[in-house]
């Protein structure tokens, strides 16, 4: 709810559990008062303003008349440099006379309905508060949208140049929030290729922590997102605040504490390498920022983001298919026969969609050529995309295809025809990333060409899924399509060019499910999710690494966006062996796929995968759209424990994933919180183990003695279904929450039966918890 208290000149933005309060002060600046747990309207607003009665030594007073009013010590909703505020400003603009001082003051406000931004990703909204501010010939509009259910405040700003001459934006961030520092710790999601979005905590001290992307994509170095948490905040306890940006390109975030211990936060388009000239009456709109607050710890904060993204960012809310992707199965080395063999087996196992990955087009047999040539390779696909698609459809599988449209190889027909479409400067040979160049998406000829080419491709067959990849970062930035004064717009215009293509294609093909990818998770952000509802989380599919990556990702992104694959043994990224059941257990929390040569499976693996798929289908709604809770993490303990609960809170799945097997471990329990009151049955998913896991111990169980790596044992191991322990208990919801669920003890080297959990390194279980209709006592 948005409420303006006329007497106080104060805005109250209330969600179900939070309040955001700011006021128009006596100098007509927007002064921040409060953001936190829900409060009643203040009767004493003046008592909450940070005020000096006298000028502070060595500081700049706003005016002769108001000596004690120093912008550097005022909590502001919008900030500029030049009138005594020395913190990172929201806006920095060069005026026609070369000066850069601005002072935005409140003019008016109104509520607008269904605000829509053209060609930009954005949240759906019904009512938005628009506040108009002015300084000289520039108007700024601050936008606030309130999402009561999800406890979200959405903010961004727009400005218009009313000068007759050009002005230049050197910095235009999306929002500004000032508050008192409460000994906050900053949580960021930092990473790199194959180790994306690891949770990283830093204690805040005086000064600025700035993190950004200059890579052209939001990047896996730092996600455009952060959390501030008060001391002692845990997953289910304490106060914390989250900030996320709906944008896919270069961004910056600043978290600053000034000498008076005032905290300033802002985020938006990166001001580095950004100079944006606006002509008379031209407007500039910044990407939207998503804010949330939780007084119930980090899980609630994440759940607020999850609900918001599912309800207001993502357009495709359908259950997602289980797919098989041929990349790690074949890489570039495939023909139609090989693909069909994989697809045939996939169908037998219960998989629903086959995705043809890189290598199907032009002369592409390695990653040196053909990006840009989006027509089929006759040697690999004799009857083209339609031919293979029809054959896949005949197997009763849907068909999907990989593309990387933003790129071109020098060795391609497209580059020969349009060398000027690739990004390069006039002075240097362009640096390459994965042997490829970027196309200039600021050029309308390029965007039109891509729309047309992809339209043709996507309508050429019964395509139900597209994996949209982007495998290199920016370099050699320059566009021969832009005027000299507009070169500083490049990075942002590239992103807008991409959004325009995506807007067109996703609207034209509403039935195609799009998944975005950028060497795995190099562009996992809310901007891409607006167009493509799921993202290839990481090229790393090792289950231990994935537990860390998916857990970090879950801090902001819901399970419905996190695409995971079960791949072969061993991991192609870290050469680690993890049990097939664990690869599934971790991958099943989100969107499930397989990425291994299914045509070469052993009988036992085939049997295991078939069971996994059956289980996933049965619980798909829960695993894709349920409420996700982090209970424990391998970052702090030896176990990752995740839980997903249905809306009614009467059914849940719990993942228990172990890091290292421990000798003679103690008994483990799991706290199962927040279930609806009642009696529950807890069972474990039926899992099977390869008897080779037990090494030479197998000879102590079998009646005959076999050579440990011998052919006979291998033959038996490839067929023998060794069922893991069967767990079945009855608890009440109160017992689950307070006494915790007691697990079977793990194998200790002395013997086993069906009540002993054999849990090797990276072993895991999934428990199913369901409310019983009947009373059992
Ligand atoms: C990227 C993707 C992979 C695969 C390859 C194909 O690395 O992340 O999943 O599609 O490209 O070249």
């Amino acid at each position: 709810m948005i409420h303006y208290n006329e007497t106080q000149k104060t805005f109250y933005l209330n969600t179900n559990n939070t309040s955001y309060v700011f006021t128009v002060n006596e100098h007509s600046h927007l002064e921040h008062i409060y953001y936190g747990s829900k409060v009643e309207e203040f009767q004493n607003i003046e008592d909450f303003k940070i005020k000096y009665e006298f000028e502070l030594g060595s500081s700049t007073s706003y005016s002769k008349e108001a000596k004690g009013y120093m912008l550097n010590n005022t909590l502001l909703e919008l900030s500029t440099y030049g009138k005594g505020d020395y913190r990172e400003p929201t806006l920095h603009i060069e005026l026609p006379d070369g000066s850069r001082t601005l002072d935005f003051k409140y003019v008016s406000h109104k509520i607008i309905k269904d605000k829509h931004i053209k060609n930009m990703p954005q949240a759906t909204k019904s009512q938005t508060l628009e506040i108009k501010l002015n300084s000289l010939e520039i108007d700024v509009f601050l936008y606030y949208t309130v999402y009561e259910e999800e406890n979200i405040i959405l903010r961004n700003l727009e400005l218009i140049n009313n000068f007759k001459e050009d002005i230049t934006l050197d910095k235009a961030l999306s929002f500004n929030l000032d508050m008192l520092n409460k000994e906050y710790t900053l949580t960021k999601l930092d990473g790199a290729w194959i180790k994306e979005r690891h949770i990283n905590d830093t204690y805040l001290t005086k000064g600025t922590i700035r993190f950004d992307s200059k890579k052209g994509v939001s990047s896996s170095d730092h996600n455009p997102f952060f959390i501030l948490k008060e001391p002692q905040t845990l997953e289910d306890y304490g106060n914390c605040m989250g900030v996320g940006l709906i944008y896919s390109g270069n961004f910056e975030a600043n978290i600053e504490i000034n000498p008076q211990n005032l905290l300033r936060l802002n985020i938006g388009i990166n001001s580095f390498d950004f100079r944006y000239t606006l002509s008379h009456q031209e407007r500039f709109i910044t990407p939207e920022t998503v804010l949330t607050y939780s007084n119930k710890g980090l899980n609630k904060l994440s759940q607020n983001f999850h609900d918001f993204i599912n309800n207001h960012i993502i357009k495709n809310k359908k259950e997602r298919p289980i797919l098989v992707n041929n990349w790690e199965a074949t890489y570039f080395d495939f023909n139609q026969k090989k693909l069909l063999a994989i697809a045939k087996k996939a169908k037998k196992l219960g998989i629903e969609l086959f995705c043809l990955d890189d290598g199907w087009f032009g002369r592409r047999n390695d990653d040196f050529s053909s990006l840009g040539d989006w027509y089929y390779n006759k040697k690999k696909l004799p009857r083209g995309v339609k031919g293979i698609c029809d054959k896949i459809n005949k197997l009763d599988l849907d068909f999907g295809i990989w593309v990387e449209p933003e790129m071109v190889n020098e060795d391609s027909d497209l580059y020969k025809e349009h060398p000027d479409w690739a990004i390069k400067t006039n002075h240097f040979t362009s640096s390459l990333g994965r042997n490829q160049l970027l196309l200039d998406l600021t050029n309308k000829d390029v965007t039109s060409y891509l729309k047309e080419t992809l339209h043709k491709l996507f309508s050429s067959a019964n395509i139900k899924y597209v994996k949209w990849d982007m495998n290199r970062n920016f370099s050699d930035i320059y566009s021969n399509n832009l005027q000299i004064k507009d070169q500083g717009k490049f990075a942002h215009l590239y992103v807008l060019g991409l959004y325009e293509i995506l807007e067109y294609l996703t609207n034209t093909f509403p039935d195609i499910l799009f998944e975005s990818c950028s060497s795995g998770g190099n562009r996992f952000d809310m901007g891409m999710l607006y167009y493509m509802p799921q993202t290839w989380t990481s090229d790393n599919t090792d289950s231990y690494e994935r537990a860390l990556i998916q857990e970090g990702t879950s801090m902001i992104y819901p399970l419905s966006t996190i695409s995971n694959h079960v791949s072969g043994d061993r991991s192609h990224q870290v050469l680690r062996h993890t049990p097939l059941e664990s690869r599934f257990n971790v991958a099943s929390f989100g969107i499930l796929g397989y990425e291994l040569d299914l045509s070469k499976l052993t009988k036992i693996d085939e049997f295991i995968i078939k069971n996994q798929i059956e289980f996933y289908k049965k619980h798909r709604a829960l695993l894709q759209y349920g409420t996700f809770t982090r209970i424990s993490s391998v970052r702090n303990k030896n176990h990752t424990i995740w839980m997903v609960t249905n809306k009614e809170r009467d059914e849940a799945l719990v993942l228990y994933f172990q890091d290292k097997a421990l000798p003679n471990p103690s008994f483990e329990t799991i706290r199962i919180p927040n279930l609806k009151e009642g009696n529950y049955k807890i069972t474990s998913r039926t899992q099977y183990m390869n008897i080779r896991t037990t090494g030479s111990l197998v000879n102590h169980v079998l009646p005959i003695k076999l050579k440990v790596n011998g052919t006979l044992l291998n033959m038996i191991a490839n067929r023998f279904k060794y069922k893991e322990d069967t767990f079945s208990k009855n608890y009440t919801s109160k017992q689950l929450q307070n006494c915790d669920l007691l697990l079977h003890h793990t194998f200790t080297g002395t013997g086993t039966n069906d009540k002993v959990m054999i849990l090797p390194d990276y072993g895991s279980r999934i428990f199913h918890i369901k409310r019983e209709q009947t009373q059992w006592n």
Side-chain angles (χ1 to χ4, degrees):
M1 209 194 60
I2 301 167
H3 178 238
Y4 179 60
N5 182 323
E6 193 93 46
T7 351
Q8 296 177 348
K9 290 193 174 163
T10 299
F11 295 91
Y12 291 90
L13 314 182
N14 286 325
T15 69
N16 286 352
N17 303 327
T18 70
S19 297
Y20 189 108
V21 186
F22 60 99
T23 193
V24 183
N25 72 16
E26 56 187 308
H27 306 282
S28 297
H29 293 133
L30 290 187
E31 186 169 337
H32 182 81
I33 300 291
Y34 172 79
Y35 184 35
S37 298
K38 194 161 185 171
V39 287
E40 302 283 307
E41 287 203 5
F42 297 111
Q43 295 311 313
N44 46 350
I45 202 86
E46 286 304 313
D47 295 348
F48 288 87
K49 288 187 183 166
I50 288 176
K51 256 188 208 158
Y52 280 93
E53 298 300 331
F54 302 98
E55 187 178 53
L56 200 62
S58 179
S59 66
T60 306
S61 291
Y62 177 65
S63 67
K64 272 188 210 152
E65 298 73 38
K67 283 273 184 205
Y69 185 58
M70 292 154 280
L71 288 182
N72 204 39
N73 302 310
T74 306
L75 306 181
L76 297 165
E77 288 288 292
L78 175 73
S79 62
T80 51
Y81 175 77
K83 299 296 289 172
D85 185 349
Y86 301 103
R87 296 165 291 176
E88 273 305 316
T90 331
L91 294 174
H92 196 51
I93 302 172
E94 189 179 295
L95 304 179
D97 68 355
S99 66
R100 275 109 41 228
T101 295
L102 281 163
D103 183 22
F104 286 97
K105 299 205 170 195
Y106 171 85
V107 177
S108 61
H109 73 268
K110 63 179 180 198
I111 302 284
I112 50 175
K113 285 225 153 79
D114 304 322
K115 179 176 155 279
H116 181 77
I117 317 171
K118 223 175 139 230
N119 278 346
M120 283 261 272
Q122 61 207 284
T124 55
K125 32 189 113 53
S126 46
Q127 280 201 335
T128 300
L129 169 66
E130 176 192 281
I131 302 183
K132 182 177 177 183
L133 305 163
N134 169 269
S135 182
L136 304 175
E137 300 301 314
I138 302 173
D139 290 335
V140 167
F141 300 90
L142 298 188
Y143 298 111
Y144 297 81
T145 309
V146 177
Y147 299 84
E148 293 177 30
E149 284 290 313
E150 297 88 358
N151 295 299
I152 296 282
I153 308 281
L154 189 76
R155 289 193 55 180
N156 75 323
L157 64 86
E158 185 167 10
L159 54 90
I160 174 161
N161 172 24
N162 292 318
F163 281 103
K164 290 270 174 300
E165 306 88 348
D166 289 356
I167 60 168
T168 302
L169 312 182
D170 285 321
K171 181 175 225 169
L173 300 182
S174 291
F175 92 117
N176 190 83
L177 179 56
D178 291 347
M179 48 201 345
L180 281 171
N181 177 25
K182 294 183 178 168
E183 287 185 63
Y184 285 114
T185 294
L186 169 70
T187 300
K188 307 198 261 78
L189 301 180
D190 299 338
W193 177 62
I194 63 172
K195 53 175 184 178
E196 294 91 340
R197 291 172 299 287
H198 281 219
I199 296 168
N200 187 5
D201 281 359
T202 317
Y203 181 70
L204 291 180
T205 54
K206 300 269 158 54
T208 308
I209 293 184
R210 181 186 195 278
F211 66 94
D212 75 349
S213 167
K214 301 183 184 75
K215 294 187 157 176
V217 288
S218 47
S219 114
S220 49
D221 296 12
H222 315 282
N223 202 256
F225 164 74
F226 60 90
I227 293 172
L228 291 178
K229 53 184 187 193
E230 288 182 22
Q232 274 95 47
T233 298
L234 300 168
E235 289 292 2
D236 288 310
Y237 171 84
N239 300 327
C240 47
M241 187 179 5
V243 178
L245 185 69
I246 309 180
Y247 191 60
S248 314
N250 289 344
F251 76 94
E252 72 175 83
N254 300 290
I255 298 96
E256 175 173 8
I257 299 180
N258 85 348
Q260 276 68 41
N261 207 27
L262 303 188
L263 170 69
R264 166 161 294 176
L265 313 176
N266 46 42
I267 195 167
I269 295 170
N270 201 341
S271 56
F272 175 81
D273 207 33
F274 171 86
R275 262 179 83 74
Y276 207 100
T277 303
L278 284 188
S279 54
H280 177 58
Q281 299 275 285
E282 209 183 331
R283 286 172 172 263
F284 185 83
I285 188 144
T286 63
E288 293 177 336
T289 303
V290 184
L291 299 173
T292 194
Y293 182 90
S294 154
N295 62 9
K296 290 200 167 63
L298 297 164
N299 271 319
K300 180 71 178 94
L301 177 138
S302 299
Q303 287 159 9
N304 289 347
F305 272 110
H306 297 171
D307 291 347
F308 173 76
I309 291 172
N310 274 330
N311 297 340
H312 298 286
I313 299 283
I314 280 166
K315 291 181 233 165
N316 176 335
K317 300 175 187 2
K318 290 184 199 148
E319 286 186 18
R320 313 288 167 69
I322 303 168
L323 61 79
V324 60
N325 176 303
N326 70 303
W327 178 241
E328 284 200 6
T330 64
Y331 293 107
F332 293 106
D333 181 19
F334 61 82
N335 53 32
Q336 185 157 296
K337 200 169 152 213
K338 208 164 183 177
L339 298 177
L340 289 174
I342 296 173
K344 231 183 207 162
K345 184 59 72 61
K347 178 66 201 170
K348 196 172 155 205
L349 298 174
I351 286 172
E352 297 154 327
L353 188 146
F354 176 90
C355 171
L356 174 55
D357 210 279
D358 194 356
W360 59 267
F361 51 92
R363 287 165 283 108
R364 186 132 165 122
N365 291 315
D366 52 38
D367 56 15
F368 287 89
S369 89
S370 302
L371 288 173
D373 299 345
W374 300 111
Y375 39 82
Y376 66 90
N377 178 319
K378 284 194 185 119
K379 278 197 193 130
K380 288 181 179 174
L381 306 176
R383 311 196 58 176
V385 174
K386 169 126 177 66
I388 176 96
C389 175
D390 287 349
K391 286 206 180 312
I392 297 281
N393 285 170
K394 245 200 188 130
L395 294 171
D396 194 23
L397 283 176
D398 281 336
F399 177 77
I401 198 157
W402 178 96
V403 285
E404 196 182 354
E406 297 159 70
M407 300 294 161
V408 65
N409 283 115
E410 286 165 309
D411 181 6
S412 70
D413 293 345
L414 183 69
Y415 189 75
K416 270 177 214 132
E417 222 176 296
H418 296 288
D420 53 322
W421 281 6
I423 293 176
K424 54 183 160 209
T425 67
N426 297 322
H427 311 292
F428 299 97
T429 309
S430 287
S431 301
L432 300 178
R434 210 192 183 200
N435 316 305
Q436 62 204 49
L437 294 168
L438 280 143
L439 287 174
D440 181 359
L441 301 196
T442 73
N443 182 341
K444 289 281 168 231
D445 291 344
V446 178
T447 50
S448 305
Y449 167 82
L450 286 177
K451 282 189 217 166
E452 203 182 300
T453 308
L454 295 167
H455 189 144
K456 218 159 114 197
L457 172 64
F458 297 163
S459 8
S460 69
N462 183 22
I463 293 173
K464 285 285 190 305
Y465 162 96
V466 167
K467 178 175 170 192
W468 182 294
D469 211 339
M470 197 288 189
N471 281 317
R472 69 155 296 181
N473 298 315
F474 282 19
S475 73
D476 302 276
I477 293 163
Y478 182 77
S479 170
N480 47 29
N481 162 65
L482 295 173
Q483 291 182 32
I484 293 174
K485 74 173 173 61
D486 289 332
Q487 291 297 332
K489 293 180 175 175
F490 181 85
H492 184 52
L493 290 186
Y494 177 96
V495 177
L496 294 185
L498 170 68
Y499 287 157
E500 185 196 315
I501 299 171
L502 296 179
E503 181 95 31
Y504 169 77
L505 290 171
T506 52
N507 285 337
T508 313
F509 298 97
D511 293 334
I512 292 183
L513 169 65
F514 286 87
E515 174 163 329
S516 91
C517 170
S518 181
S519 305
N522 200 35
R523 196 164 60 181
F524 201 141
D525 56 64
M526 288 187 277
M528 293 310 284
L529 290 175
Y530 173 76
Y531 299 104
M532 309 196 186
Q534 56 190 60
T535 305
W536 178 227
T537 311
S538 173
D539 278 348
N540 197 337
T541 46
D542 171 78
S543 54
Y544 173 77
E545 299 300 331
R546 267 305 185 113
L548 292 169
I549 294 169
Q550 289 171 219
E551 185 161 283
T553 307
S554 81
M555 294 307 279
I556 162 163
Y557 303 106
L559 296 181
S560 70
T561 66
I562 302 178
S563 163
N564 312 316
H565 293 174
V566 174
S567 56
D569 189 21
R570 301 175 162 235
S571 152
H572 290 196
Q573 292 74 40
V574 287
L575 299 177
R576 183 184 285 135
H577 160 78
T578 63
L580 176 56
E581 295 286 29
S582 287
R583 278 175 266 153
F584 167 79
N585 287 345
V586 174
S588 69
F589 278 69
I591 312 299
L592 179 69
Y594 285 79
E595 189 170 333
L596 69 165
D597 191 347
L598 298 175
S599 68
K600 303 230 165 66
L601 289 179
T602 60
K603 284 273 171 257
I604 176 71
D605 286 355
E606 205 174 306
F607 174 78
I608 289 175
I609 291 178
K610 200 158 185 275
N611 276 314
Q612 294 174 343
I613 290 171
E614 254 167 46
F615 179 86
Y616 187 84
K617 283 182 177 167
K618 203 162 150 204
H619 300 288
R620 182 180 347 220
L622 200 51
L623 290 163
Q624 297 186 351
Y625 289 99
T627 304
F628 181 75
T629 307
R630 293 171 299 267
I631 292 179
S632 172
S633 168
V634 282
R635 283 178 297 118
N636 312 318
K637 291 191 181 156
N638 197 37
H639 303 118
T640 290
I641 304 175
W642 297 337
M643 170 168 163
V644 68
T645 320
N646 67 355
K647 264 212 168 64
E648 296 72 31
R649 295 188 296 115
D650 62 5
E651 187 177 8
L653 290 171
V654 170
L655 168 76
Y656 177 83
F657 175 87
Q658 164 166 281
D659 180 1
K660 295 283 179 308
L662 300 173
N664 199 354
S666 76
F667 285 93
E668 283 289 338
T669 59
I670 308 179
R671 183 183 54 91
I672 311 284
N674 298 330
L675 289 178
K676 185 171 170 182
E677 201 157 323
N679 302 322
Y680 283 81
K681 179 151 199 80
I682 303 105
T683 51
S684 57
R685 178 176 88 77
T686 311
Q687 292 187 184
Y688 295 86
M689 193 182 80
N690 192 311
I691 51 165
R692 268 181 305 220
T693 306
T694 58
S696 57
L697 267 181
V698 77
N699 279 327
H700 298 270
V701 184
L702 294 178
I704 44 166
K705 303 277 170 272
L706 297 169
K707 223 166 128 192
V708 173
N709 278 322
T711 327
L712 194 55
L713 179 62
N714 277 343
M715 256 173 64
I716 296 171
N718 288 345
R719 278 157 205 276
F720 187 63
K721 296 171 189 145
Y722 185 90
K723 199 162 155 194
E724 299 190 314
D725 58 311
T726 316
F727 189 96
S728 174
K729 290 192 177 190
N730 298 303
Y731 275 56
T732 67
S733 50
K734 283 209 177 105
Q735 289 168 338
L736 284 168
Q737 164 107 26
N738 300 316
C739 315
D740 303 354
L741 177 66
L742 177 64
L743 304 189
H744 287 161
H745 77 72
T746 41
F747 174 74
T748 55
T750 50
T752 188
N753 63 22
D754 74 339
K755 295 282 174 279
V756 173
M757 210 171 18
I758 300 187
L759 214 59
D761 290 354
Y762 321 112
S764 65
R765 294 287 184 275
I766 285 183
F767 297 99
H768 179 232
I769 301 175
K770 195 159 164 56
R771 192 161 178 264
E772 300 265 78
Q773 294 310 324
T774 50
Q775 292 291 335
W776 41 258
N777 55 1

